[in-house]
Amino acid sequence: MSNLPIFDVAGSAMNAQSVRLSTIASNLANADSVSGNPDAVYRAKQPVFRAEGVPGDPSLSGVNVVEVRESDAAPLKRYEPGHPLADAQGYVYAPAVDPVAQMVDLISASRSYQANVEVFNSAKELAMATLNMGR
């Protein structure tokens, strides 16, 4: 907790977006993975955010990552009898990850992170300017 709660708010947002970026990277990295067992398929992950009050100032809210949920979407079933991971019926199972939707989410998370970096830097510059007024 800082004396200027703007740093707490922007910092919590950057942390939340960092978790979001990491989960997107994990989803994209595993989008093409397959398994011979539908229960062993990678499940897409998505963070769940919650507004959280800033200590010392109840009028402000930061953000907190409550949990990272796994998708309950059914895996994609593909008939590939020659695949080394195919089950006895010749099927492999792939995660239900949409790379285009993940890229859109990636751009959104990246922009949000960048915006909060700007908020943090602007607040820092204003605090420095205030401190330098006395010189």
Side-chain angles (χ1 to χ4, degrees):
M1 184 174 105
S2 69
N3 289 336
L4 297 173
I6 187 70
F7 293 115
D8 296 327
V9 172
S12 71
M14 287 188 291
N15 183 55
Q17 294 306 325
S18 178
V19 170
R20 185 174 167 204
L21 289 165
S22 295
T23 58
I24 294 167
S26 178
N27 293 342
L28 288 170
N30 288 287
D32 292 325
S33 63
V34 295
S35 175
N37 178 355
D39 296 329
V41 173
Y42 175 81
R43 302 281 182 181
K45 295 171 179 30
Q46 184 169 8
V48 177
F49 298 153
R50 178 180 65 208
E52 188 173 86
V54 174
D57 193 343
S59 66
L60 298 176
S61 291
V63 64
N64 187 30
V65 178
V66 178
E67 66 177 307
V68 177
R69 285 193 184 155
E70 286 191 351
S71 172
D72 57 356
L76 307 174
K77 185 177 178 181
R78 297 192 310 236
Y79 184 67
E80 294 183 25
H83 196 286
L85 294 176
D87 64 10
Q89 291 80 34
Y91 288 99
V92 293
Y93 303 89
V97 174
D98 180 2
V100 175
Q102 292 294 313
M103 290 302 295
V104 170
D105 203 23
L106 177 74
I107 292 167
S108 174
S110 177
R111 296 277 193 262
S112 182
Y113 188 93
Q114 290 171 353
N116 282 289
V117 167
E118 289 300 319
V119 168
F120 196 90
N121 286 335
S122 294
K124 182 179 79 170
E125 288 175 19
L126 291 171
M128 292 301 295
T130 302
L131 291 173
N132 288 330
M133 286 176 65
R135 288 187 176 183

Coordinates of all heavy atoms in Angstrom, one line a residue, residues 1-13 50-64 116 119:
M1 N 0.8 -1.2 0.0 CA 0.0 0.0 0.0 C 0.9 1.2 0.0 O 1.8 1.4 0.8 CB -0.9 0.0 1.2 CG -1.9 1.1 1.3 SD -3.0 0.9 2.6 CE -2.4 2.2 3.7
S2 N 0.6 2.2 -0.9 CA 1.4 3.4 -1.0 C 0.5 4.6 -0.4 O -0.7 4.4 -0.2 CB 1.8 3.7 -2.4 OG 0.6 4.0 -3.2
N3 N 1.2 5.7 -0.3 CA 0.5 6.9 0.1 C -0.4 7.4 -1.0 O -1.4 8.2 -0.7 CB 1.4 8.0 0.6 CG 2.1 7.6 1.9 OD1 1.5 6.9 2.7 ND2 3.2 8.2 2.2
L4 N -0.1 7.1 -2.2 CA -0.9 7.5 -3.3 C -1.6 6.2 -3.9 O -1.0 5.4 -4.5 CB 0.0 8.1 -4.4 CG 0.7 9.4 -4.0 CD1 1.6 9.9 -5.1 CD2 -0.4 10.5 -3.7
P5 N -2.9 6.1 -3.6 CA -3.6 4.8 -4.0 C -3.6 4.6 -5.5 O -3.9 3.5 -5.9 CB -5.0 5.0 -3.4 CG -5.1 6.4 -3.1 CD -3.8 7.0 -2.9
I6 N -3.4 5.6 -6.3 CA -3.3 5.4 -7.8 C -2.3 4.3 -8.2 O -2.5 3.5 -9.1 CB -3.1 6.7 -8.5 CG1 -3.3 6.5 -10.0 CG2 -1.7 7.3 -8.2 CD1 -4.7 6.3 -10.5
F7 N -1.2 4.3 -7.4 CA -0.2 3.3 -7.7 C -0.7 1.9 -7.4 O -0.4 0.9 -8.1 CB 1.1 3.5 -6.9 CG 1.8 4.8 -7.4 CD1 1.9 5.9 -6.5 CD2 2.3 4.9 -8.7 CE1 2.6 7.0 -7.0 CE2 3.0 6.0 -9.1 CZ 3.1 7.1 -8.3
D8 N -1.5 1.7 -6.3 CA -2.1 0.5 -6.0 C -3.1 0.0 -7.0 O -3.1 -1.2 -7.4 CB -2.8 0.5 -4.6 CG -1.8 0.8 -3.5 OD1 -0.6 0.4 -3.5 OD2 -2.2 1.5 -2.5
V9 N -3.9 0.9 -7.5 CA -4.9 0.6 -8.5 C -4.3 0.2 -9.8 O -4.6 -0.9 -10.3 CB -5.9 1.8 -8.7 CG1 -6.8 1.5 -9.9 CG2 -6.7 2.1 -7.4
A10 N -3.3 1.0 -10.3 CA -2.7 0.7 -11.5 C -1.8 -0.6 -11.4 O -1.8 -1.4 -12.3 CB -1.8 1.8 -12.0
G11 N -1.2 -0.8 -10.3 CA -0.4 -2.0 -10.1 C -1.2 -3.2 -10.0 O -0.9 -4.3 -10.6
S12 N -2.4 -3.2 -9.4 CA -3.3 -4.3 -9.4 C -3.8 -4.7 -10.8 O -3.9 -5.8 -11.1 CB -4.5 -4.1 -8.4 OG -5.4 -3.2 -8.9
A13 N -4.1 -3.6 -11.6 CA -4.5 -3.8 -12.9 C -3.4 -4.5 -13.8 O -3.7 -5.4 -14.6 CB -5.0 -2.5 -13.5
R50 N -12.0 -9.8 -10.0 CA -13.0 -9.2 -9.1 C -12.5 -7.8 -8.7 O -11.3 -7.7 -8.4 CB -13.2 -10.1 -7.9 CG -14.1 -9.5 -6.9 CD -14.3 -10.4 -5.7 NE -13.0 -10.5 -4.9 CZ -12.7 -11.5 -4.2 NH1 -13.5 -12.6 -4.1 NH2 -11.5 -11.5 -3.6
A51 N -13.4 -6.8 -8.6 CA -13.0 -5.5 -8.1 C -12.8 -5.7 -6.6 O -13.4 -6.4 -5.9 CB -14.2 -4.5 -8.4
E52 N -11.7 -4.9 -6.2 CA -11.3 -5.0 -4.8 C -11.0 -3.6 -4.3 O -10.3 -2.9 -5.0 CB -10.1 -5.9 -4.7 CG -9.7 -6.2 -3.3 CD -8.6 -7.3 -3.3 OE1 -7.4 -6.9 -3.4 OE2 -8.9 -8.5 -3.2
G53 N -11.6 -3.3 -3.2 CA -11.3 -2.0 -2.6 C -9.9 -1.7 -2.3 O -9.1 -2.6 -1.9
V54 N -9.5 -0.5 -2.4 CA -8.1 -0.1 -2.1 C -8.0 0.2 -0.6 O -8.8 1.0 -0.1 CB -7.7 1.1 -2.9 CG1 -6.3 1.6 -2.5 CG2 -7.7 0.8 -4.4
P55 N -7.1 -0.4 0.1 CA -6.9 -0.1 1.6 C -6.8 1.4 1.8 O -6.0 2.1 1.1 CB -5.7 -0.8 2.0 CG -5.5 -1.9 1.0 CD -6.1 -1.3 -0.3
G56 N -7.5 2.0 2.7 CA -7.4 3.4 3.1 C -8.3 4.3 2.2 O -8.5 5.5 2.6
D57 N -8.9 3.8 1.1 CA -9.8 4.6 0.3 C -10.9 3.8 -0.3 O -10.7 3.2 -1.4 CB -9.0 5.3 -0.8 CG -9.8 6.5 -1.5 OD1 -11.0 6.5 -1.3 OD2 -9.1 7.3 -2.1
P58 N -12.0 3.7 0.4 CA -13.1 2.8 -0.1 C -13.7 3.3 -1.4 O -14.5 2.5 -2.0 CB -14.1 2.8 1.1 CG -13.8 4.0 1.9 CD -12.3 4.3 1.7
S59 N -13.5 4.5 -1.8 CA -14.1 5.0 -3.0 C -13.3 4.5 -4.3 O -13.8 4.7 -5.4 CB -14.1 6.5 -3.0 OG -12.8 7.0 -3.1
L60 N -12.2 3.9 -4.1 CA -11.4 3.4 -5.2 C -11.4 1.9 -5.2 O -11.5 1.2 -4.2 CB -10.0 3.9 -5.1 CG -9.7 5.4 -5.2 CD1 -8.3 5.7 -5.0 CD2 -10.2 5.9 -6.5
S61 N -11.3 1.3 -6.4 CA -11.3 -0.1 -6.6 C -10.1 -0.5 -7.5 O -10.0 0.0 -8.6 CB -12.6 -0.7 -7.2 OG -13.6 -0.5 -6.2
G62 N -9.4 -1.5 -7.0 CA -8.4 -2.2 -7.9 C -9.0 -3.4 -8.4 O -10.2 -3.6 -8.4
V63 N -8.2 -4.3 -8.9 CA -8.7 -5.6 -9.4 C -7.8 -6.7 -8.9 O -6.6 -6.5 -8.6 CB -8.7 -5.6 -11.0 CG1 -7.3 -5.5 -11.6 CG2 -9.4 -6.8 -11.5
N64 N -8.5 -7.8 -8.7 CA -7.8 -9.0 -8.1 C -8.1 -10.2 -8.9 O -9.3 -10.4 -9.4 CB -8.2 -9.2 -6.6 CG -7.4 -10.3 -6.0 OD1 -6.3 -10.5 -6.3 ND2 -8.0 -11.0 -5.0
N116 N -2.5 0.9 -18.3 CA -2.2 1.0 -16.9 C -0.7 1.4 -16.6 O -0.4 2.1 -15.6 CB -2.6 -0.3 -16.2 CG -4.0 -0.3 -16.0 OD1 -4.6 0.4 -15.1 ND2 -4.7 -1.1 -16.7
V119 N -0.9 5.1 -16.9 CA -1.5 5.7 -15.7 C -0.4 5.7 -14.6 O -0.2 6.7 -13.9 CB -2.7 4.9 -15.2 CG1 -3.1 5.3 -13.8 CG2 -3.8 5.0 -16.2

